[in-house]
Amino acid sequence: AVSFATQPGFCSRFIIDLPLVAMEEDTTTNYRIKDIVFFGSARRILLQSANGPCPLLAICNVLLLRNQIKIQQDARYISFNELVEIVSGFLFDSNQGGGDSPSPNTADLRENLTSCLDILPRLNVGLDVNCQFGGATAFEFTREMAVFDLLDIVLFHGWVVSKQDELAHSLLANLSYNQVVERLIAMQEAQGRQQQQASQLAPASGEDGSASAAAHAADAAPPAADAAGAPSAEDDAKVVQEGLIIQDFLDRTASQLSYDGLLALHDIVRERQLGVFFRNSHFNSMLKYEGDLYLLCTDISFAHSHVVWERLDEVDGDTSYCDANFKVNQSSSDEAANLAAAQAAQDTLFAGGAGGSMGGMEDADRQLVLQLMQEDLQQQDAARRPAAPAQQPALPQLAQQQPAAAGRQQQGLLDGQTGRSSDRDAANKKKCCIVQ
């Protein structure tokens, strides 16, 4: 069931009540939930359970971090259908008309809402996004883009052509990715015609042994091509030249993130703005904090890790991973960060129950759930850490491993004795015999 609760600063907050179900595996229709701390407040985010683009995951994480939607604390998994239900309800609530009188804007809003409701159930397999190379927010408009507009979420990308590269910029600035692919296909076709014409000219010049025969064959070829409706040799040469420039740009930006695109993102994204970043057919939740860009780590491998953010500061993938406080990853802080997230979640749960909305039995059950969650985190951390060095062995083993003089000295200190070394030697020998 979905319940609604208003909160100052937001249109509404949707809370979905989910049963505490332990699903056996992570699939493309079930998403694991992770507790993190976001600027001192407890938040729940969704993890990518299986390979796939899943733009709905990035959208929901932005809404969860904004605290515009919430998931009950005792839920460990949530299904795709439940996410669609939450987002659909939030879309209606945040885009309600300002009156009963019809207007052109109201009609457009209803049409966009209807389109979004048709699109949301298909977001687990991908989204039709066609970026343009002229800017970090330039996309070809499609019906799917209305989802981001109605949710007030900006979609970014970093595949931007440099203005300093005049040839590439003049060709690519106003083109989308699909149009670029068409240009490359046209280049391959033009190269094929050029090779065919070259193969036809070579035998003709070889048989006559004179340049006049080759010139006659070259003069005869264009009219035949024009008659068939094929492009001229000059057109093919231009298409090939432009195609090579485009191909060179794509080869230099194979990661779909250029240096100019990274600079453009730093300029256009506002401080503490949450958005969705598109790259390599994948969608990530993105945040700008203290001048740096961060991507939310939603891979299932981070389920029990203190790592929360990936700093987006390189185009070749050599990036840094950070914790909830945006500090670079340190394995020693793993347990502390996990316990801090669990404690923050527990504090939020108790604060929400202070108003009397939960009964005593439910409080006890939820406390048990949180206790089990903390124990799981501690066990996971202990399993990943190397074994601690063995404690100092008992006195007999020490006497056996160390020289006799050192053994006598340590034994004397432990017993509080200052004399009678012969008695201690005898005692040590007896203890050594017992060990053997």
Side-chain angles (χ1 to χ4, degrees), residues 68-365:
Q68 292 176 304
I69 63 174
K70 294 190 70 175
I71 302 174
Q72 286 295 341
Q73 198 65 35
D74 57 354
R76 295 294 187 92
Y77 288 82
I78 186 171
S79 68
F80 175 79
N81 292 333
E82 289 165 332
L83 289 179
V84 171
E85 181 182 358
I86 296 176
V87 177
S88 299
F90 178 75
L91 275 171
F92 273 111
D93 184 76
S94 59
N95 293 278
Q96 290 179 353
D100 297 333
S101 59
S103 64
N105 293 334
T106 304
D108 294 340
L109 180 60
R110 290 177 179 175
E111 182 179 357
N112 290 334
L113 283 174
T114 302
S115 299
C116 290
L117 293 178
D118 294 336
I119 294 169
L120 286 176
R122 302 196 299 268
L123 290 185
N124 64 331
V125 295
L127 187 67
D128 185 12
V129 172
N130 189 19
C131 63
Q132 296 175 334
F133 301 97
T137 57
F139 291 88
E140 181 182 353
F141 181 78
T142 59
R143 293 176 62 247
E144 288 80 0
M145 298 297 295
V147 177
F148 296 93
D149 294 336
L150 293 179
L151 292 172
D152 194 22
I153 297 176
V154 182
L155 182 63
F156 300 95
H157 74 89
W159 210 357
V160 179
V161 62
S162 174
K163 294 182 179 180
Q164 298 179 356
D165 190 351
E166 297 180 356
L167 288 177
H169 187 270
S170 62
L171 289 173
L172 292 165
N174 298 320
L175 294 181
S176 65
Y177 178 76
N178 291 345
Q179 292 172 328
V180 164
V181 172
E182 294 175 356
R183 293 288 187 96
L184 294 179
I185 294 175
M187 180 191 70
Q188 295 176 355
E189 294 176 350
Q191 288 176 334
R193 288 190 295 268
Q194 288 179 340
Q195 294 177 358
Q196 184 178 6
Q197 292 177 2
S199 62
Q200 291 175 353
L201 293 177
S205 60
E207 292 175 359
D208 295 344
S210 63
S212 59
H216 177 72
D219 294 338
D226 293 339
S232 63
E234 291 79 6
D235 293 337
D236 283 343
K238 182 180 179 180
V239 170
V240 171
Q241 182 182 6
E242 294 179 350
L244 292 176
I245 295 175
I246 294 174
Q247 186 64 58
D248 177 68
F249 169 76
L250 296 181
D251 293 340
R252 288 186 286 109
T253 59
S255 63
Q256 297 188 9
L257 177 63
S258 62
Y259 283 105
D260 290 86
L262 191 58
L263 294 175
L265 288 171
H266 279 86
D267 291 337
I268 197 171
V269 181
R270 302 187 308 272
E271 180 69 15
R272 294 204 179 191
Q273 180 183 3
L274 284 165
V276 174
F277 180 65
F278 175 74
R279 181 184 182 186
N280 290 329
S281 300
H282 195 78
F283 298 83
N284 289 98
S285 301
M286 183 171 67
L287 170 72
K288 185 177 183 180
Y289 176 64
E290 293 186 349
D292 291 325
L293 298 173
Y294 296 91
L295 301 179
L296 188 65
C297 297
T298 57
D299 190 85
I300 194 65
S301 59
F302 296 104
H304 300 287
S305 172
H306 71 289
V307 172
V308 177
W309 300 100
E310 177 187 359
R311 184 181 296 166
L312 185 63
D313 53 3
E314 296 291 342
V315 300
D316 56 0
D318 187 14
T319 55
S320 303
Y321 291 93
C322 306
D323 59 13
N325 296 320
F326 304 95
K327 303 299 182 183
V328 178
N329 174 33
Q330 294 180 359
S331 59
S332 59
S333 62
D334 197 1
E335 180 181 359
N338 281 331
L339 292 178
Q343 183 64 40
Q346 183 177 3
D347 294 341
T348 301
L349 177 62
F350 291 157
S357 60
M358 295 183 301
M361 183 61 69
E362 293 181 356
D363 284 341
D365 293 340

